[in-house]
DNA sequence: TTGATATTTAACCATGTAGTTAAATATAGC
DNA sequence: GCTATATTTAACTACATGGTTAAATATCAA
């Protein structure tokens, strides 16, 4: 019987699993924003966005500061660190796949692998919600 | 109206949001396994595990090969690459927090602080776990 | 005070998820 | 063919999620 770990990994990954929430985070990465400004690009009601923000807040990815009647939303990327660290333990597996391809092509020299694509940003893909 | 991106990010993050599924992946990182061997450490029924495996499979994180009546489960970490690359674009934000602490301690010079860390490769921590 | 603006809460609905037990399917081995 | 083993499918329950509209709350501004 396995005992479970991080509650924060659960909520972080769950928060990131929704494209609306990811878009909100991307928006916040360009600067703080009010709730209604955040909601504006989306074709859903304000309460729907309000709920999404609560999910992000519970995950610790978003902080709201009250400023008059406006709530200023700020990104907090800290929980992403734990998430990326968890995933990183699998890095060798996807790199191994590259290596086995590279190794096949260059007769398997395990020290000379090429990981340059790791710097390539990935978020340029298209739409298929 | 924002149009959404990667379906695979959705399913990858959703798959990783569950601790049972993360434990299954960790187990698979030590080697391939049958379904029943995967299920053994958990206090749930086999059909429950079967469903979790299907979620992992739909996310592309797991591949099943039929081998007689046994199904051999293998990790495929490839989708994690896209996930980690997505998160990595926020790396500077959690690093900035460390820096702002450092900056506070060294009298907060806003022009002289960061940039060098932006070149730091994303995969500096995981390499050879 | 009155009204407009920003945002949340409440009540509701549809769908998805995670579990259950029981039955079905496929295969191995006699 | 018969039986045990490995695994999935079916049918069901309970709860979470993401959306809606309508109403409530808080604050600004006249």
């Amino acid at each position: 019987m396995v005992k479970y770990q991080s509650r924060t990994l659960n909520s972080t990954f769950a928060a990131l699993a929704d494209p609306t929430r990811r878009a909100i985070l991307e928006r916040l990465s360009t600067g703080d924003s009010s709730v209604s400004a955040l909601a504006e690009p989306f074709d859903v009601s304000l309460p729907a966005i309000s709920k999404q923000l609560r999910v992000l807040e519970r995950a610790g990815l978003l902080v709201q500061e009250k400023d008059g009647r406006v709530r200023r939303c700020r990104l907090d990327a800290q929980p992403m660190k734990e998430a990326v660290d968890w995933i990183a333990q699998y890095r060798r597996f996807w790199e191994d796949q590259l290596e086995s391809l590279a190794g096949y092509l260059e007769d398997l020299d395990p020290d000379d692998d090429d990981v340059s694509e790791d710097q390539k940003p990935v978020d340029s893909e298209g739409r298929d919600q």
Side-chain angles (χ1 to χ4, degrees), chain A:
Chain A
M1 175 56 177
V2 163
K3 264 315 166 196
Y4 297 148
Q5 317 104 301
S6 173
R7 245 197 60 61
T8 78
L9 276 181
N10 293 359
S11 59
T12 305
F13 282 130
L16 297 182
D18 183 274
T20 301
R21 288 191 294 260
R22 285 199 306 276
I24 288 171
L25 292 174
E26 297 195 6
R27 164 68 183 275
L28 286 175
S29 75
T30 71
D32 295 1
S33 171
S34 71
V35 171
S36 39
L38 276 182
E40 184 270 324
F42 300 99
D43 197 19
V44 294
S45 67
L46 208 52
I49 297 295
S50 186
K51 284 188 176 185
Q52 304 281 33
L53 296 182
R54 205 146 26 94
V55 172
L56 290 170
E57 213 173 3
R58 278 203 312 265
L61 290 163
L62 179 135
V63 181
Q64 288 194 349
E65 282 165 32
K66 210 174 158 183
D67 181 22
R69 62 187 160 179
V70 175
R71 272 170 222 216
R72 182 185 201 72
C73 300
R74 178 165 42 85
L75 173 66
D76 183 354
Q78 206 61 45
M80 293 184 186
K81 176 166 162 44
E82 189 186 353
V84 90
D85 285 348
W86 187 89
I87 300 183
Q89 67 180 135
Y90 295 89
R91 178 171 294 272
R92 65 186 179 92
F93 289 98
W94 70 77
E95 283 178 349
D96 281 355
Q97 279 181 248
L98 294 180
E99 279 162 29
S100 66
L101 172 62
Y104 172 77
L105 292 174
E106 65 189 52
D107 210 16
L108 206 62
D109 178 357
D111 277 323
D112 195 28
D113 60 316
D114 172 350
V115 288
S116 62
E117 2 255 306
D118 275 18
Q119 268 67 26
K120 206 164 41 180
V122 154
D123 46 319
S124 48
E125 81 280 316
R127 28 174 322 118
D128 60 307
Q129 66 145 327

